[in-house]
Amino acid sequence: MSITARQWLILLAVQFTTILFGLTATSVTVILPQLKGALSATQEQISWVLTFNLVATAIATPLTGWLAAKLGWRTLMVVSVAGFTAASMLCGLVDTLEALLALRILQGAFGAPIFPMGQTIVLTSFHRSQHPFIMMMWGVGGVMGPILGPTFGGLVSDLLSWRWTFFLILPLGVAAGALAFAALNDDEKGRARRFDYIGFVFISIAIAAFQLMFDRGQRNDWFDSPETIAECVLAGVFFVMFVLHTLTAPAPLFEPAALRDRNFLIGVVVALIMGMLQYTPMVLFPPLLQELQGYPETTIGYLVASRGLGNLASFCIVAQLTRFDARLCLFIGLSIQALAGAMMAGFDMQVTIQGVLWSNILHGFGFGLSYTPMAVLAFSTMPTRYMTQANAIFALIRMLGSSVFVSLTLLVLVHSTAEANANLASSITHFTRAMVAPWVQAFGHLGELHVQARLAAEIQRQASMIGYINAFHLMTLIPILTAPLAWLFVIRR
């Protein structure tokens, strides 16, 4: 079945808006160390710049299906791109962390429909037999963002400042909005059913409370804090209320029939894991390379962008392998991500550019090899009438996985670093001087104050590296446990 010129234009428009979304999301990861200094934030606080944006995207994603039916594809896509671009521009003007977080939340809310609606448009505009090829082609647009984003952010922040990383989104946003206006139509307009405001409020409170519990738990000493207990209770209670409401409401936010599809349910679980693995390397590597190794932002941008090159390389075989056996393709992709995580967990203080480069390329290759078969399998048995709603659920779970796992890995990083620092420092005392003297000989005599200060700084560096290694171990374990789920999908003949 041939592809028409109109279909190619639709695919191009969706690709470009996806590139804009991905570029903006990933360019920020490179400038996090700069933002940390400029806004006087801690490692934990600066991670909120990413996680708050992801949570806002996750919370607003359930609106996608209703808004698409209310406004139509073209109107919603243009409004989303315009609001997303405007919020990005305003991020460059802030002087406080609070203002930046507020704008990142606004940016995430406007950008929420871009990804799920793009995937819906692609899946519904082409025949099912074309889905492996079309998802691969759409994936090229999704991959260009992670390639261009870190490179763009690194170059711009080095040559100008971190503010211009946000300002220069404007011309890209204008181009994406114009292309969406020209290519899409509003065929879906007028098909909206009554919106389930109660269900939306329930799931929004549950997601927000759950994310706040992870973001602030370490600072509040977890369940020794009334705040953490309250957030946990809120998340649990409102999630249960949402489930009960969905099962009993005449027109729930998510149609239960869509959730009874076996392939889709398994796909949602795998999407959660894929979300966990998507942004975490981009969050861990910039501070590791800048603060522990002293690399400039431009070099860091190139190294983080190499993950996108791995994604791009996977498209040479992913469509063919998905057609041959989608489950095998997904299993191989997750296994490769586990192998890449093991490579990262093997790093030490002498980590080389080549090691960072190849581990990121391999991880990106595995991610690209996993996403297309996951999406094809998840939606292979889904009725067309539930497609927009199912894509919204899919995107929500993926974004929620990203935000929670970023917080979880940073928790592992902070906790492991503090524990390693205490253990290393306690091993260097007056009584162990003979044992540690050869190790600190390059610093000078142990009795001198400046030597003790240099030694303390080196202990902190070594402890931080142990924290990063433990975080990479977590990244290795997750795909290992997930890979067998690939064989639970049912192949549609």
Side-chain angles (χ1 to χ4, degrees), residues 23-212:
L23 182 146
T24 306
T26 55
S27 62
V28 173
T29 61
V30 178
I31 63 171
L32 287 178
Q34 270 198 35
L35 289 173
K36 181 179 172 183
L39 302 178
S40 302
T42 65
Q43 178 79 24
E44 175 194 7
Q45 289 172 331
I46 209 61
S47 72
W48 297 347
V49 174
L50 182 62
T51 58
F52 278 29
N53 177 265
L54 293 173
V55 169
T57 303
I59 289 174
T61 294
L63 292 168
T64 301
W66 180 79
L67 288 173
K70 187 79 172 176
L71 304 175
W73 284 346
R74 178 169 62 185
T75 302
L76 178 56
M77 186 67 85
V78 171
V79 169
S80 295
V81 169
F84 183 80
T85 303
S88 300
M89 281 281 296
L90 292 173
C91 285
L93 300 174
V94 302
D95 291 312
T96 65
L97 178 64
E98 292 78 11
L100 180 59
L101 292 177
L103 286 169
R104 288 285 286 171
I105 290 172
L106 187 64
Q107 183 192 55
F110 271 108
I114 293 176
F115 192 91
M117 191 162 56
Q119 185 163 293
T120 299
I121 292 170
V122 167
L123 289 172
T124 54
S125 298
F126 295 85
H127 191 267
R128 286 187 187 272
S129 63
Q130 298 171 321
H131 283 180
F133 173 73
I134 291 304
M135 288 301 295
M136 181 270 290
M137 291 298 296
W138 176 61
V140 171
V143 163
M144 291 309 295
I147 291 177
L148 297 174
T151 307
F152 172 81
L155 282 172
V156 171
S157 61
D158 250 3
L159 297 175
L160 299 170
S161 77
W162 62 266
R163 297 182 185 276
W164 282 94
T165 304
F166 294 109
F167 292 152
L168 291 178
I169 298 298
L170 178 62
L172 299 174
V174 171
L179 190 57
F181 183 83
L184 303 179
N185 55 46
D186 281 332
D187 285 349
E188 292 289 307
K189 187 175 181 179
R191 299 181 183 178
R193 58 176 184 167
R194 186 169 60 87
F195 184 67
D196 182 16
Y197 292 99
I198 295 176
F200 177 70
V201 170
F202 285 171
I203 193 63
S204 298
I205 293 175
I207 291 173
F210 187 63
Q211 183 63 44
L212 281 173

Side-chain angles (χ1 to χ4, degrees), residues 248-267:
T248 57
L253 185 65
F254 297 134
E255 186 63 50
L259 299 173
R260 285 196 287 267
D261 186 280
R262 169 176 169 163
N263 276 5
F264 182 69
L265 278 178
I266 299 170

Side-chain angles (χ1 to χ4, degrees), residues 360-396:
N360 273 274
I361 288 176
L362 189 63
H363 197 273
F365 184 79
F367 190 91
L369 211 58
S370 305
Y371 192 87
T372 295
M374 174 191 68
V376 169
L377 288 166
F379 294 98
S380 61
T381 54
M382 178 64 63
T384 304
R385 65 183 180 276
Y386 298 133
M387 198 67 79
T388 300
Q389 198 174 100
N391 272 291
I393 298 172
F394 206 69
L396 184 156

